[in-house]
Structure formats: C-alpha cells, structure tokens
Amino acid sequence: MKLKIITQERIVFDDEVDEIYSKGVDGEFGLLKGHVPIMSALDIGVTRVKKGNKSKSFSVMGGILQFKDDECLILTTLAETGDEIDEMRAREALERARRRRKEADARIDAKRAEAAIARAKARLKAKLNDGE
C-alpha cells in the first residue's frame, strides 16, 4: 500500500509499505492492505511503518489521516523522521516543558506545557524506535 506524509513545507515520506501504525485522537490504530476506508484526526505522537523486516518511525504533530483503496495520506503541520531528530535537543525540550508545567499558574500555560511535553515525547519515541 502507498503512504504519503505531507507537511506544509515538504513531502516527508512517499513510498510503499506493508503496515502503518499511528495515534489518533481516540487511540492508537494499525492499517494493513485491504483495510476499510478510514479518516482520523491524529494526535501528537508517532507513526510507525513497516516494509518487510524494516521499520521507520516519524514524529507527527497532529493532523489528518485518510486511508482509501490501499492509499494512505497523512496531512500534518510537522513531521520528522527518527534520523532527523536530535535526541539531546528533544530531551532538553522535554525537561524545559516539565519545568514549565510545574511553574504554570494559569490553565493556558499548563495546557501549553502539556502540549510541549507531548511533542518532545513523540520526538524521542520516534528517534529511539526508528529502524527497529
């Protein structure tokens, strides 16, 4: 099946794959060839694909996934492959966001800190799981 991951700036991935796993706002799900059509709002998380015995992970910062006729399209504002992610920078961002969450006195600041934590965790997970 065909998978295309597109951001506003570039095509992050465009290739044939055997399996797709992603995180929707209602939970994680997987897609195999012949799956029924589906459209899902994506949460901040990791999309993982397998082709043969190789896998690739992407941090995906929300968006929309559409699957129909064995073609999957992910439209997102930001997506990175695991090998594009700087692990140290992602760890530092996670720590900063955790500190901000502790110091957050307003609801909006707490929500922004939680979103920053989710983004940093997605990047780390994509980095650490890439190629497994």
Side-chain angles (χ1 to χ4, degrees):
M1 60 190 161
K2 180 79 163 175
L3 171 64
K4 211 175 214 186
I5 301 174
I6 302 173
T7 69
Q8 298 160 333
E9 299 174 355
R10 66 188 179 119
I11 297 173
V12 177
F13 186 81
D14 185 4
D15 203 356
E16 295 287 327
V17 298
D18 298 325
E19 303 171 32
I20 302 167
Y21 301 94
S22 200
K23 183 178 179 186
V25 294
D26 294 324
E28 295 184 11
F29 60 92
L31 301 168
L32 300 172
K33 187 174 183 174
H35 196 285
V36 297
I38 182 174
M39 183 171 277
S40 175
L42 296 178
D43 201 353
I44 295 170
V46 174
T47 294
R48 192 164 152 243
V49 299
K50 291 182 100 177
K51 185 174 183 178
N53 61 356
K54 295 183 180 184
S55 69
K56 189 151 193 68
S57 295
F58 304 87
S59 65
V60 176
M61 303 304 156
I64 296 174
L65 176 144
Q66 177 184 352
F67 184 85
K68 183 180 175 189
D69 299 328
D70 290 331
E71 291 186 5
C72 184
L73 175 64
I74 295 176
L75 300 175
T76 180
T77 55
L78 179 64
E80 301 165 291
T81 63
D83 57 354
E84 293 174 324
I85 297 168
D86 181 331
E87 183 178 350
M88 184 58 78
R89 188 171 165 208
R91 288 188 188 282
E92 290 169 356
L94 179 59
E95 288 309 310
R96 278 192 313 274
R98 285 181 172 156
R99 280 193 307 273
R100 277 197 312 261
R101 180 177 59 187
K102 283 183 185 176
E103 299 166 359
D105 53 4
R107 224 174 172 187
I108 293 172
D109 290 339
K111 286 187 178 200
R112 287 170 55 190
E114 288 295 332
I117 288 169
R119 289 190 300 270
K121 283 183 175 181
R123 284 185 172 110
L124 285 171
K125 188 174 180 182
K127 175 69 174 179
L128 299 175
N129 292 329
D130 196 40
E132 284 187 355

